Amino acid sequence: MRILISLVSSSTLIDLLSFSRRLHTKISPFSTLIHHKPSPAMAASEDSLRRALAEKQSSIESQGNTVRALKASNAEKATVDEAIEKLNTLKLDKSVVEKQLQAAVNGNGPDGSVNKEAFRQAVVNTLERRLFYIPSFKIYRGVAGLYDYGPPGCAVKSNVLSFWRQHFVLEENMLEVDCPCVTPEVVLKASGHVDKFTDLMVKDEKTGTCYRADHLLKDFCNEKIQKDLSISAEKAAELKHVLAILDDLSAEELGAKIKGYGITAPDTKNPLSDPYPFNLMFQTSIGPSGLSPGYMRPETAQGIFVNFKDLYYYNGNKLPFAAAQIGQAFRNEISPRQGLLRVREFTLAEIEHFVDPEYKSHPKYSEVADLEFLMFPRELQISAQSAKKIQLGEAVSKGIVNNETLGYFIGRVYLFLTRLGIDKDRLRFRQHLANEMAHYAADCWDAEIESSYGWIECVGIADRSAYDLHAHSEKSGVPLVAQEKFSEPKEVEKLVIAPVKKELGLAFKGNQKKVVEALEAMNEKEALDMKASLETKGEVEFYVCTLGENVTIKKNMVSISKEKKKEHQRTFTPSVIEPSFGIGRIIYCLYEHSFYMRPSKAGDEQLNVFRFPPLVAPIKCTVFPLVQNQQYEDVAKIISKSLTAAGISHKIDITGTSIGKRYARTDELGVPFAITVDSISSVTIRERDSKDQIRVDVEEAAPVVKSVTDGHKTWADVWANFPHHSSGSVED
């Protein structure tokens, strides 16, 4: 099927055709269309263009005054004409600078042609038309942030998850679990989600329409930078600084910025309320009484944490070990947008790797230590530099990455994404800045993939320390700990916290138990600080999280000391290394990285192609009789049975449509191979991107396709071992 894209002009589409016809040529088909994070040199160029534009505008105004003055004084016609010609030249110069500046801020090609929005629209139109995904409940006008995956989308997602299981769960001997989506409130209270899982929201003061506050400010800044060419270089720098610190702004600071810039409701231009927190979890009740509150889980991780004790036992009471879970998560986004990138229900694949906090080495670390890829440490971010290629082993040895286990998973994530088909040159690992990380985290990195929307966080890899297990231990009263047995008894100095329950009972009555639990849960630093304060002041203010308030602890209420003891084992709370994968985001970025367009044979139409690796392609192979012929159709059915027996997803097409149109239809679905039946003894196999064809015997067709789709051979291997086929009649 030949596809003519009508969303942009044909001359614009020609600029989308920067691609490689031959499979072995690795050129990104739309690399110039994606907006890259500007390097210092690019930023300086934009600044200089803004200054040049301001100078041109000033010169035009000055020359305009000169022309008006000459006319007012009845100057000679030649003098006036000369002044007008100079004014027109200045206007032309200004127009050139404006085009250069527009290209610089919009990420257009050097000739100002196709931009990222046009490319994105071409991709999305193709995805929706071919039913990779569509808005949910479409006949009822849909609901923002909810999408249905169609047949090819389901197949791609299934293939991605299958490879995720193979790459992580099987290769790392992980323990896979499947926990409920509905989660009791007490679990999410302990994890902090009930109190802190919020975004800042503003409301249209007249209509009540809600907007995410930081998105409004972000859109305003981007709009001014990209479309208002008249703003000064200094103003542009101010807006870019706001974008850089956006995540760190408090509700008050965000509200001040919104008011300061005069930002109003996008749809009505009405004034907006002050920002206030909105909890993103979907609340529900468990059971008919409504007395047991719960939430749809915002992540899958908590189900693993609360099952740690049983998983540790199942693993033979040995560390390290990892548990994994794939499942749906739910977030009631304030204003979802950007298609699959920000939705209200989505698939997460999460790993919780439990490790001794004193031994964070990894036995397989050497397998990834030599990998080199784009990394963006916080030092480069702070100094306004770009990401650069760093060897993983060097990053770990220099302390850029906190430990070997964290480094190992960063390397494994890199291999996973690139094998799926993510362009390694548009994949980077960005380290969280100090003010982004939770206080308990040791180190955090995000795998960010560049798309037409910019850099998108698709995988988070965090060393969460022992926070989660501590929190659930404290809330549930069940110790979530591990033990290390000593070969010989060791004398250790032990902190002993002994609450005096009688005195605490007199002081706090029904809350005595909660205060006791909070005292016993103190870490060593907190306990020693309390001991010092009690000895000097006789009392101290102490925050009890289960009460949500400070209480006064007096010297007679608790005894804190250190004692030397002989121990046969060490008991500790494990640290957690957590890689968390947003499957929908990865898939969308894969769609963009795989999409390109090429001209039809006649050159008058543009054909869409998804360059999926066989690993993730929704259909691995198609089978076409060249013409409608019963003998050819019988051969096609025999090959189809062989492909089914080999476990290869395929599609058989015995319609009378021309072979070129059938190729184009399947190229648009990303099908890597097409078997064409043009005789009863042999067939051709066509490779999607190169359009090269080989000839094989009928009985060899399924084994050849299987060897390539399973990764045992490459197309180059089979191209070298089988006769080549060429026929102008079947060219697209």
Side-chain angles (χ1 to χ4, degrees), residues 130 617-626 635-637 639-640 643 648-654 659-677 683-688 693 701-702 705 709 732:
R130 296 313 304 265
I619 302 169
K620 311 300 184 191
C621 180
T622 49
V623 185
F624 302 141
L626 181 60
V635 172
K637 290 174 182 176
I639 294 172
S640 175
L643 291 168
I648 299 171
S649 61
H650 65 283
K651 184 177 181 180
I652 185 168
D653 187 346
I654 56 176
I659 194 69
K661 288 183 178 179
R662 282 183 279 175
Y663 282 153
R665 275 203 300 253
T666 57
D667 289 347
E668 196 175 45
L669 284 172
V671 181
F673 303 108
I675 298 172
T676 304
V677 181
V683 296
T684 66
I685 301 177
R686 171 189 181 266
E687 194 278 326
R688 176 195 58 221
Q693 297 184 61
V705 172
T709 56
D732 301 64

Side-chain angles (χ1 to χ4, degrees), residues 182 284-294:
V182 178
T284 185
S285 59
I286 303 171
S289 69
L291 299 177
S292 180

Side-chain angles (χ1 to χ4, degrees), residues 248-548:
D248 297 330
L249 295 178
S250 65
E252 293 74 20
E253 292 168 332
L254 195 54
K257 293 286 184 188
I258 288 172
K259 286 184 178 177
Y261 289 129
I263 298 172
T264 56
D267 303 319
T268 63
K269 307 306 177 187
N270 292 329
L272 296 165
S273 69
D274 291 331
Y276 62 94
F278 170 75
N279 193 290
L280 298 177
M281 291 192 294
F282 286 98
Q283 189 167 14
T284 185
S285 59
I286 303 171
S289 69
L291 299 177
S292 180
Y295 296 89
M296 302 301 290
R297 65 184 179 190
E299 61 181 24
T300 67
Q302 301 307 318
I304 297 175
F305 295 138
V306 299
N307 283 314
F308 170 79
K309 185 176 181 180
D310 293 320
L311 291 169
Y312 180 59
Y313 174 78
Y314 180 87
N315 199 53
N317 294 328
K318 293 179 181 177
L319 284 182
F321 76 89
Q325 181 170 194
I326 296 170
Q328 295 302 98
F330 307 83
R331 296 180 185 178
N332 195 12
E333 295 284 352
I334 296 167
S335 50
R337 54 186 185 172
Q338 299 181 341
L340 294 181
L341 298 181
R342 190 169 293 281
V343 293
R344 287 175 164 142
E345 179 179 351
F346 51 96
T347 302
L348 284 178
E350 295 190 297
I351 296 165
E352 308 302 330
H353 181 88
F354 298 100
V355 62
D356 187 331
E358 295 183 7
Y359 304 102
K360 291 185 179 178
S361 59
H362 196 286
K364 295 167 68 176
Y365 167 70
S366 60
E367 295 178 12
V368 300
D370 292 335
L371 291 174
E372 185 176 271
F373 44 80
L374 283 173
M375 300 189 78
F376 203 12
R378 59 174 66 100
E379 288 73 17
L380 294 182
Q381 298 173 56
I382 292 168
S383 57
Q385 299 181 59
S386 298
K388 67 178 183 180
K389 286 191 175 181
I390 301 174
Q391 189 184 58
L392 183 57
E394 177 188 344
V396 173
S397 64
K398 289 184 175 179
I400 298 171
V401 174
N402 185 269
N403 57 77
E404 278 190 10
T405 297
L406 184 63
Y408 176 74
F409 279 106
I410 289 173
R412 292 289 291 164
V413 168
Y414 170 80
L415 292 173
F416 170 74
L417 293 173
T418 52
R419 288 172 184 170
L420 280 182
I422 297 299
D423 182 353
K424 62 183 175 61
D425 293 324
R426 286 186 285 149
L427 167 65
R428 72 182 185 190
F429 288 81
R430 187 186 71 84
Q431 187 177 30
H432 284 202
L433 298 174
N435 55 11
E436 286 183 87
M437 292 201 305
H439 67 278
Y440 52 79
D443 196 7
C444 300
W445 293 76
D446 288 338
E448 297 183 333
I449 303 174
E450 191 181 27
S451 74
S452 61
Y453 289 104
W455 289 98
I456 304 300
E457 173 198 344
C458 293
V459 186
I461 310 113
D463 183 336
R464 295 176 60 85
S465 188
Y467 171 79
D468 301 281
L469 295 183
H470 269 310
H472 287 298
S473 292
E474 181 179 334
K475 188 72 173 176
S476 68
V478 177
L480 302 176
V481 295
Q483 290 85 30
E484 177 195 7
K485 292 186 178 180
F486 302 142
S487 56
E488 294 181 2
K490 289 185 179 180
E491 188 172 78
V492 296
E493 194 172 50
K494 207 63 175 161
L495 179 71
V496 178
I497 301 172
V500 181
K501 294 182 179 180
K502 180 181 177 181
E503 297 295 334
L504 291 169
L506 291 171
F508 302 111
K509 303 192 178 355
N511 291 325
Q512 180 217 45
K513 184 180 178 183
K514 292 180 178 179
V515 177
V516 169
E517 288 174 347
L519 287 169
E520 290 177 338
M522 287 190 294
N523 61 38
E524 184 170 331
K525 184 180 183 306
E526 291 171 333
L528 293 178
D529 286 347
M530 176 179 282
K531 177 180 171 68
S533 296
L534 289 174
E535 288 176 352
T536 56
K537 301 176 184 176
E539 63 181 39
V540 65
E541 290 295 302
F542 177 60
Y543 182 73
V544 180
C545 63
T546 49
L547 293 176

Side-chain angles (χ1 to χ4, degrees), residues 200 214 217 241-255 257-258:
L200 292 171
D214 60 331
L217 182 55
H241 177 68
V242 171
L243 289 172
I245 64 169
L246 196 58
D247 291 339
D248 297 330
L249 295 178
S250 65
E252 293 74 20
E253 292 168 332
L254 195 54
K257 293 286 184 188
I258 288 172

Side-chain angles (χ1 to χ4, degrees), residues 679-710:
S679 81
I680 60 173
S681 59
S682 67
V683 296
T684 66
I685 301 177
R686 171 189 181 266
E687 194 278 326
R688 176 195 58 221
D689 298 305
S690 65
K691 298 195 282 188
D692 289 335
Q693 297 184 61
I694 59 170
R695 182 165 291 279
V696 301
D697 293 338
V698 169
E699 60 271 14
E700 290 180 302
V704 168
V705 172
K706 183 172 178 60
S707 68
V708 181
T709 56
D710 285 355

Side-chain angles (χ1 to χ4, degrees), residues 88-336:
N88 289 336
T89 300
L90 287 170
K91 288 180 178 179
L92 284 172
D93 291 345
K94 178 190 173 187
S95 177
V96 170
V97 176
E98 282 179 334
K99 287 182 179 179
Q100 292 174 337
L101 178 57
Q102 193 73 65
V105 298
N106 279 359
N108 294 352
D111 60 351
S113 56
V114 180
N115 62 25
K116 55 189 177 182
E117 284 80 12
F119 166 74
R120 181 194 308 141
Q121 198 59 52
V123 176
V124 171
N125 283 356
T126 305
L127 291 169
E128 292 195 7
R129 182 166 43 77
R130 296 313 304 265
L131 221 59
F132 280 85
Y133 71 89
I134 54 174
S136 298
F137 316 111
K138 194 174 178 181
I139 63 172
Y140 292 101
R141 300 185 182 179
V143 178
L146 297 176
Y147 290 90
D148 296 337
Y149 285 81
C154 282
V156 170
K157 181 179 178 182
S158 176
N159 292 337
V160 168
L161 291 176
S162 177
F163 180 56
W164 188 88
R165 278 194 171 95
Q166 176 192 325
H167 187 80
F168 291 106
V169 179
L170 295 181
E171 290 195 28
E172 306 295 338
N173 290 314
M174 294 179 178
L175 311 180
E176 187 171 0
V177 299
D178 188 358
C179 305
C181 293
V182 178
T183 306
E185 183 181 55
V186 65
V187 174
L188 295 167
K189 185 76 174 175
S191 67
H193 285 84
V194 172
D195 298 322
K196 298 178 182 177
F197 196 66
T198 60
D199 278 337
L200 292 171
M201 182 170 75
V202 291
K203 275 188 179 180
D204 182 318
E205 290 189 341
K206 293 185 179 178
T207 68
T209 304
C210 300
Y211 303 94
R212 187 164 151 178
D214 60 331
H215 282 179
L216 292 184
L217 182 55
K218 181 180 180 180
D219 290 346
F220 171 83
C221 293
N222 282 327
E223 183 90 2
K224 293 292 285 184
I225 291 168
Q226 294 175 12
K227 296 186 179 179
D228 187 353
L229 303 182
S230 65
I231 63 172
S232 66
E234 291 72 24
K235 187 67 174 178
E238 175 195 323
L239 295 172
K240 288 178 183 178
H241 177 68
V242 171
L243 289 172
I245 64 169
L246 196 58
D247 291 339
D248 297 330
L249 295 178
S250 65
E252 293 74 20
E253 292 168 332
L254 195 54
K257 293 286 184 188
I258 288 172
K259 286 184 178 177
Y261 289 129
I263 298 172
T264 56
D267 303 319
T268 63
K269 307 306 177 187
N270 292 329
L272 296 165
S273 69
D274 291 331
Y276 62 94
F278 170 75
N279 193 290
L280 298 177
M281 291 192 294
F282 286 98
Q283 189 167 14
T284 185
S285 59
I286 303 171
S289 69
L291 299 177
S292 180
Y295 296 89
M296 302 301 290
R297 65 184 179 190
E299 61 181 24
T300 67
Q302 301 307 318
I304 297 175
F305 295 138
V306 299
N307 283 314
F308 170 79
K309 185 176 181 180
D310 293 320
L311 291 169
Y312 180 59
Y313 174 78
Y314 180 87
N315 199 53
N317 294 328
K318 293 179 181 177
L319 284 182
F321 76 89
Q325 181 170 194
I326 296 170
Q328 295 302 98
F330 307 83
R331 296 180 185 178
N332 195 12
E333 295 284 352
I334 296 167
S335 50

